[in-house]
Amino acid sequence: MATNQELDFNFNEDQMRLKIRALEQILDKIHLGGGKARIEKHHENGKMTARERISALLDPNTVHFEIGALAGHDMYAEHGGCPGGGVVVMIGYVSGRQCIVVANDATVKAGAWFPITGKKNLRAQEIAMENRLPIIYLVDSAGVYLPLQEDIFADKEHFGRIFRNNAKMSAMGITQIAAVMGNCVAGGAYLPIMSDESLIVDKTGTIFLAGSYLVKAAIGEEIDNETLGGATTQTEISGVCDYKVENDTACILKIRDLFSRIGHQEKVGFDRVASIEPARAPKDAYGLLPADRSKPYDTRALLQTIIDDNSMNEYKPNFGKTLITTYARIDGWSVGIVANNRTVVKNAKGEMQFGGVIYGDSADKAARFIMLCNQKKIPLVFFHDVTGFMVGSKSEHGGIIKDGAKMVNAMANSVVPKFSVIIGNSYGAGNYAMCGKAYDPRFIIGWPTAEIAVMSGAAAAKTLLQIEVAQLKAKGETIDPAREEALLKEIKARYDAQISPYYAASRLWLDAIIDPINTRKVLSMGIEMAAHQGVLPEYKVGVIQT
C-alpha cells in the first residue's frame, strides 16, 4: 500500500503534468503563427516561415532556447491577436558559435511591429549586448502596425531604440548580420543596413523607405517594388545590401559561411568541470513541488533534481535558515545558489520561522554570500518561492528593512551574471531581493507553477475588499454579507489572472515558461552565453547600513 508521502508525490506529479500539457498546447498554437492558411501562402511564394528559417540556420542536433514565445499571449484581441509578438527569438549555435537569432514572423500581420514586438526585439538586443553575443536578423516585416503606432514609435524604449542599439553593438564589436528575406519597409529598412553585413533574397526580398504605392501618392512616380528596392537594385545599383542570394536556402547557407569565419573572443573564465548527472531524476521535481502552494516541501531535494550530484557545499547552513545559500555545479559550471527554503525551521533561539519568508538573519547571510560569489567570479542563480520579508514589530525592531536593503544592495550591484528561476511564489519585496526582472537577470524563467505579484490573490482580494467596504461605510452605505462575498470572489478572480505566469510571460516579465526538467539545460546555456562577456567590471557596493 502506498504511503501518504507517495500519494502526495503522485498527486503533485499529475498536477504538474497537467500544467505542462496546457503549456505545450498553448505553445503549439503559437508556433503556427498566423495559422495554417498563411503558412501555406508563404510556401506558395517560395518562402520559409520564420521557424523553418531558424531551424535550417541552427546547427543540427544542438540545444537551443527560445526567448519570449508567449509574448503577446491573450493580448491585442481587438486587433486579431499577435502570436509570439510576431517575431521569433532563439538562442542557439550557428557554425559552432553561440548566437541569438531574431526572425520576423510574416504570417502574423505581415510581420508588422506591435508594441510587444518592439519590446521583444529590444530584449533580444539587450541579451546580445550584455553577453556580447553575435546576432542574426532574418527580416520579413511590413513595418510598424499603424493602428498602435502611438505605443511603439516615439518613446525611449520604442522602435527607434532598435536602430540605436544596432549602432551601439557595432561599436562594441558585436557581430550583426541581417538578411532581407521579405518586406523591409520604412524605418524598419534601417535595421539591416545598420547591421555589419546584409543579404537580400532575389525576387522575395525588398527594402525601401517607401513602397510603390506611397511613392506614387507622394511624388507621382509609377514604379514596381522589385525595381524600386529589390535584390538587383539594392546590390547592383544602390549598393545598399552586400550579398544577393537566390532563395531562402542559399541565404541561410551564406549566413552560416559568414559566421564560420568569425574570430573567437576572450571569455570570462567561469569555472567548469566535467558534468555529472543530478542525484535525483529531473522529473522528480514534478512530485516534490506541492500542488497546494501553501504546503511546505524539501527545497534541498528539489535542488538535487537540477544540480550536479554531490556538488552542494552550503554556506552557513545553520544560520538564516529560510534562505539556502550554497555553492554547487550545474552541468559542470560552478554556481552560487540563493533559494527560498520552503520548510518550517527553528532559529538558534528555538523560534519557529515560516518557510518562504525572508527574515533579517537570512537577508544578512544572503548579502554576504552574494558578495563572496562576486569576489570569486561565480555566477549566481536565484530560485524564487518567496512570500516576502517578515513583518511585525519584532522584525521592525530588529531592523528587517536595513537587512533587506543590504541584500538588495549586494545583489543589485553584482557584476557576475545572475539568473532567476521562479518555481512558485515571487511576491512583493521578495521578488526584488531574489533578483526579479528589475535587477537585470541574464535570464528570468518560470515554471508553470510560478506566480508574480505584490501579494497572493487571496491576500490582495481581502485587502482591496476592506478598502472598498471602508469607502462605502464612509458614504453611509452598508454592504450585506452576500454582496461582500461576491465582491471578494470578483476581486480575487481578477487578481489571480494577473499573477499567472502566462500574464507575466505575455508581457515579457518572464523570458519563458519552461518544463522544470529543462531548467538545467537553460541555465547551462545561459552561463556559457554570459562567459562571452570577456572581462567583468570591478565589484562595488553602495553604502550599506549595518
Side-chain angles (χ1 to χ4, degrees), residues 495-546:
Y495 201 88
D496 281 345
Q498 293 177 357
I499 68 176
S500 156
Y502 293 98
Y503 191 91
S506 69
R507 289 153 180 80
L508 289 172
W509 303 345
L510 291 175
D511 289 319
I513 301 174
I514 66 167
D515 185 328
I517 66 173
N518 291 326
T519 306
R520 179 177 163 89
K521 177 197 82 171
V522 173
L523 291 173
S524 179
M525 280 192 75
I527 297 167
E528 180 186 354
M529 171 187 80
H532 289 93
Q533 183 177 341
V535 178
L536 294 177
E538 183 183 356
Y539 179 55
K540 297 178 181 179
V541 294
V543 175
I544 293 179
Q545 191 171 16
T546 58

Side-chain angles (χ1 to χ4, degrees), residues 48-59:
M48 298 178 181
T49 64
R51 292 185 179 277
E52 289 167 344
R53 287 166 175 166
I54 291 174
S55 180
L57 179 62
L58 296 180
D59 294 347

Side-chain angles (χ1 to χ4, degrees), residues 298-546:
D298 187 343
T299 305
R300 289 176 178 84
L302 195 67
L303 291 176
Q304 293 291 351
T305 68
I306 298 166
I307 66 173
D308 293 13
D309 186 19
N310 202 31
S311 69
M312 184 181 284
N313 184 354
E314 277 199 59
Y315 174 74
K316 292 191 176 182
N318 298 314
F319 179 79
K321 295 179 183 178
T322 64
L323 276 177
I324 295 170
T325 51
T326 183
Y327 300 108
R329 290 191 182 273
I330 293 176
D331 195 23
W333 294 104
S334 172
V335 297
I337 290 173
V338 180
N340 300 112
N341 187 5
R342 282 301 307 269
T343 55
V344 178
V345 298
K346 286 184 180 179
N347 64 16
K349 298 176 182 177
E351 299 166 330
M352 301 301 294
Q353 293 185 329
F354 300 104
V357 178
I358 301 176
Y359 289 76
D361 53 356
S362 302
D364 184 78
K365 175 177 78 169
R368 185 170 175 83
F369 181 71
I370 289 166
M371 289 188 276
L372 284 169
C373 287
N374 274 273
Q375 184 190 61
K376 298 177 179 181
K377 295 185 180 179
I378 297 175
L380 285 159
V381 183
F382 295 81
F383 288 92
H384 299 223
D385 197 349
V386 58
T387 52
F389 283 84
M390 191 58 191
V391 297
S393 61
K394 187 173 181 180
S395 291
E396 296 295 352
H397 296 170
I400 185 69
I401 296 173
K402 69 179 181 181
D403 290 327
K406 215 181 295 182
M407 180 178 174
V408 171
N409 199 325
M411 179 274 300
N413 284 297
S414 285
V415 296
V416 295
K418 299 170 294 193
F419 300 88
S420 279
V421 183
I422 302 179
I423 61 179
N425 306 328
S426 188
Y427 295 159
N431 171 274
Y432 296 165
M434 293 294 292
C435 193
K437 178 72 172 178
Y439 294 86
D440 300 320
R442 302 297 174 97
F443 287 156
I444 180 166
I445 54 179
W447 289 3
T449 44
E451 293 186 355
I452 304 171
V454 173
M455 61 184 75
S456 71
K462 289 175 184 176
T463 303
L464 293 169
L465 179 64
Q466 288 172 4
I467 293 169
E468 194 158 336
V469 169
Q471 289 173 342
L472 288 171
K473 285 182 179 177
K475 296 175 183 176
E477 300 176 26
T478 58
I479 181 168
D480 63 82
R483 173 63 180 150
E484 190 171 322
E485 182 66 23
L487 266 175
L488 183 67
K489 287 181 179 178
E490 178 189 330
I491 295 168
K492 186 176 184 300
R494 186 170 68 245
Y495 201 88
D496 281 345
Q498 293 177 357
I499 68 176
S500 156
Y502 293 98
Y503 191 91
S506 69
R507 289 153 180 80
L508 289 172
W509 303 345
L510 291 175
D511 289 319
I513 301 174
I514 66 167
D515 185 328
I517 66 173
N518 291 326
T519 306
R520 179 177 163 89
K521 177 197 82 171
V522 173
L523 291 173
S524 179
M525 280 192 75
I527 297 167
E528 180 186 354
M529 171 187 80
H532 289 93
Q533 183 177 341
V535 178
L536 294 177
E538 183 183 356
Y539 179 55
K540 297 178 181 179
V541 294
V543 175
I544 293 179
Q545 191 171 16
T546 58

Side-chain angles (χ1 to χ4, degrees), residues 13 114 156 174 198 219 307:
E13 183 177 33
F114 281 64
K156 180 178 178 180
I174 299 170
S198 61
I219 64 173
I307 66 173

